[in-house]
Amino acid sequence: MKKILSIDFSTGSKSKEGTGYAFRDEEGKLIVGSIKPYTKGSTMKSRTLIIVEKLEDIILENGLQDYDICIERPILAGNSAGSIELAQWNGYALGKMHALTKGYIYNIRNSKWCAYHLIKGKRKERKDASCELYERVMGEPTKDDNKADALAQLLYCEAVDYKTIYEKE
């Protein structure tokens, strides 16, 4: 079994947004969840600090210190100042995760795992397709596309030689 902690990193500026995560425990059971850091008046920095604290807890409580981390590469578009800030806080989160784990960190392209699962379309269609994949795999519906995306990314990384693909970049 590949030891992977998949993270769909988002600092979510709305109450229903957050960071998704997925991994398999030592018995191979899928563990999938979402961290929702939004509070009224929160900043990208304060939300990132909450996300990192929760991810640290997940790593330590579940013994994931020897897992690789596969995190979705930030999609930088639109507001350039916001994109730069997102990339900076993504880097902060990666640094904290790297300090806790002995595995490697891989930036996974959204387009790669979407293509692997035959997910296409505009943003909403992709999110819906990701939630449908979650329901097929987990046997229960979800509207939380963050954890659905983290699961889809995990399944992609388990199926391909992600280390070879992403070490070349």
Side-chain angles (χ1 to χ4, degrees), residues 72-167:
E72 186 176 81
R73 179 181 289 176
I75 299 170
L76 306 178
N79 177 341
S80 60
S83 291
I84 290 168
E85 188 177 9
L86 174 61
Q88 289 171 326
W89 287 112
N90 181 280
Y92 171 82
L94 288 174
K96 294 289 280 184
M97 299 305 101
H98 183 65
L100 285 174
T101 62
K102 297 175 189 157
Y104 291 94
I105 295 174
Y106 299 91
N107 282 297
I108 307 300
R109 291 182 184 194
N110 174 284
S111 60
K112 296 283 188 183
W113 67 256
C114 282
Y116 175 79
H117 292 293
L118 305 176
I119 294 173
K120 53 188 168 185
K122 300 282 185 197
R123 186 174 192 269
K124 178 169 178 0
E125 291 142 331
R126 288 193 319 266
K127 298 292 184 185
D128 291 345
S130 186
C131 289
E132 289 169 12
L133 173 68
Y134 178 94
E135 184 172 359
R136 285 194 307 274
V137 172
M138 301 301 289
E140 63 186 30
T142 188
K143 292 184 180 187
D144 186 340
D145 59 85
N146 303 297
K147 68 181 186 180
D149 287 356
L151 173 63
Q153 182 176 269
L154 174 67
L155 297 173
Y156 163 74
C157 289
E158 289 178 337
V160 302
D161 185 7
Y162 66 94
K163 292 182 180 184
T164 301
I165 294 168
Y166 291 99
E167 283 177 353

Side-chain angles (χ1 to χ4, degrees), residues 13-55:
S13 60
K14 296 177 184 162
S15 62
K16 292 184 180 182
E17 295 178 353
T19 291
Y21 62 89
F23 62 93
R24 291 188 189 270
D25 66 14
E26 290 298 320
E27 287 80 41
K29 180 183 174 199
L30 283 168
I31 309 297
V32 184
S34 185
I35 301 163
K36 305 232 184 302
Y38 176 82
T39 57
K40 187 175 180 176
S42 62
T43 64
M44 194 177 296
K45 176 183 178 180
S46 65
R47 292 188 300 271
T48 300
L49 296 175
I50 292 168
I51 291 165
V52 168
E53 181 180 324
K54 299 288 186 194
L55 286 172

